[in-house]
Amino acid sequence: MKNHYNLLLLILLALSMTACGQTNRNSKSEETYTFQKGDPNGIGKWYMGREIAHVMGYQGINWLERSDREKEENTSQLLMNMNIQPDDTIADIGAGSGYHTFKMAKLTSEGFVYAVDIQPEMLQAISTKQSEQQVNNIQTIQGSEKSINLDENSVSKILLVDVYHEFNFPKEMIESMHKSLTSDGKIYLIEYKAEDESIPIKEIHKMSEKQAVKEFKASGFKLEQNIENLPWQHCLIFVKE
């Protein structure tokens, strides 16, 4: 009887420790983010003083493929900024319609491009286009709110075009990218300049260099360079510290 009593005590102690650990993890997550009303186009969730924007749904896919995008964003210059090599392995995070994915795939003749998105409809659009054009060096990846779902040290370059500010869990996503990036890899963060009020984009969909550096530094990255040759966007290059 005594042995049964002692066993019961051990089980209760183990359950208590598990619950305590879970509470601590939840508390840590809650401390990372704050919640308050803000911009009508925001989700009311804040990270390091910045409100997170609503995700653009797959219904806006035509806007991603608009005919004047090259003129507005100079996407050709962006690709030159990336200095893409034939054997590069690149992750296009928040790939959307694959606008940049297919352009990069042409430049990585011996490499590979992962098109990562959280919306299955976007990934299906990429797969359809890939089949039609018979492109063999693209793989679609279903991401999550907290992970890009790629293997450790699997990519040499990561591209994020106007998507980071919409991540519901930016800290976890940066940590996921840190894990998947090679030691000498680079992240190319493309965001509309918050410093320029003349840019015709809603403020919550912009980001300052200072804010981006603060958030990426918190998860082990440092700014290598800000290439200021795009019309409306920052081209911030981050590397591991």
Side-chain angles (χ1 to χ4, degrees):
M1 185 70 178
K2 183 177 181 181
N3 289 337
H4 286 298
Y5 178 73
N6 289 338
L7 179 60
L8 179 60
L9 284 178
L10 287 173
I11 292 173
L12 290 174
L13 179 61
L15 289 173
S16 176
M17 291 177 67
T18 300
C20 182
Q22 184 65 45
T23 299
N24 288 338
R25 285 193 293 271
N26 290 340
S27 297
K28 185 177 180 180
S29 178
E30 289 174 1
E31 290 173 0
T32 300
Y33 303 103
T34 56
F35 299 85
Q36 63 185 50
K37 290 183 179 180
D39 193 293
N41 297 291
I43 64 173
K45 182 178 180 180
W46 299 68
Y47 178 57
M48 301 189 79
R50 173 185 63 86
E51 186 178 11
I52 299 167
H54 278 292
V55 174
M56 188 192 78
Y58 67 91
Q59 297 86 350
I61 195 169
N62 291 333
W63 186 78
L64 298 175
E65 295 289 335
R66 63 193 185 280
S67 59
D68 55 355
R69 186 169 184 179
E70 170 65 31
K71 179 181 178 181
E72 292 177 353
E73 301 181 7
N74 199 349
T75 56
S76 297
Q77 182 62 58
L78 165 57
L79 295 180
M80 286 191 281
N81 290 349
M82 293 182 68
N83 189 29
I84 295 174
Q85 302 300 306
D87 60 347
D88 276 341
T89 301
I90 306 173
D92 186 2
I93 309 301
S97 65
Y99 181 86
H100 293 93
T101 302
F102 286 91
K103 294 177 185 295
M104 293 190 293
K106 291 180 180 179
L107 300 174
T108 56
S109 55
E110 302 169 18
F112 210 81
V113 180
Y114 293 104
V116 183
D117 206 282
I118 198 171
Q119 300 182 73
E121 296 85 355
M122 293 291 198
L123 297 176
Q124 183 56 54
I126 293 174
S127 295
T128 299
K129 186 176 180 180
Q130 182 181 0
S131 179
E132 292 172 350
Q133 297 186 4
Q134 297 183 343
V135 180
N136 299 318
N137 62 335
I138 293 175
Q139 181 179 342
T140 57
I141 300 291
Q142 176 74 56
S144 72
E145 288 190 330
K146 294 185 178 181
S147 175
I148 63 174
N149 289 337
L150 292 177
D151 292 337
E152 188 173 353
N153 301 319
S154 61
V155 292
S156 55
K157 291 175 180 173
I158 292 177
L159 177 65
L160 301 107
V161 178
D162 303 327
V163 66
Y164 172 75
H165 66 276
E166 297 179 350
F167 288 164
N168 281 351
F169 292 89
K171 179 176 175 60
E172 289 82 354
M173 286 294 284
I174 297 176
E175 291 173 350
S176 173
M177 288 185 281
H178 193 284
K179 180 180 178 181
S180 298
L181 196 65
T182 57
S183 59
D184 59 347
K186 299 177 186 290
I187 288 182
Y188 295 81
L189 178 67
I190 314 301
E191 289 283 349
Y192 287 106
K193 302 172 185 177
E195 298 89 339
D196 188 345
E197 295 181 359
S198 69
I199 296 173
I201 296 292
K202 293 175 180 178
E203 289 302 313
I204 198 167
H205 290 288
K206 296 179 179 180
M207 192 167 224
S208 69
E209 175 184 341
K210 181 179 179 180
Q211 183 68 31
V213 169
K214 180 168 67 172
E215 295 185 23
F216 274 74
K217 182 176 177 59
S219 294
F221 283 99
K222 64 180 179 181
L223 180 67
E224 181 182 74
Q225 187 179 4
N226 182 359
I227 305 179
E228 292 284 13
N229 59 5
L230 303 181
W232 289 349
Q233 299 154 304
H234 288 298
C235 179
L236 300 166
I237 304 175
F238 288 96
V239 296
K240 291 183 178 181
E241 287 190 308

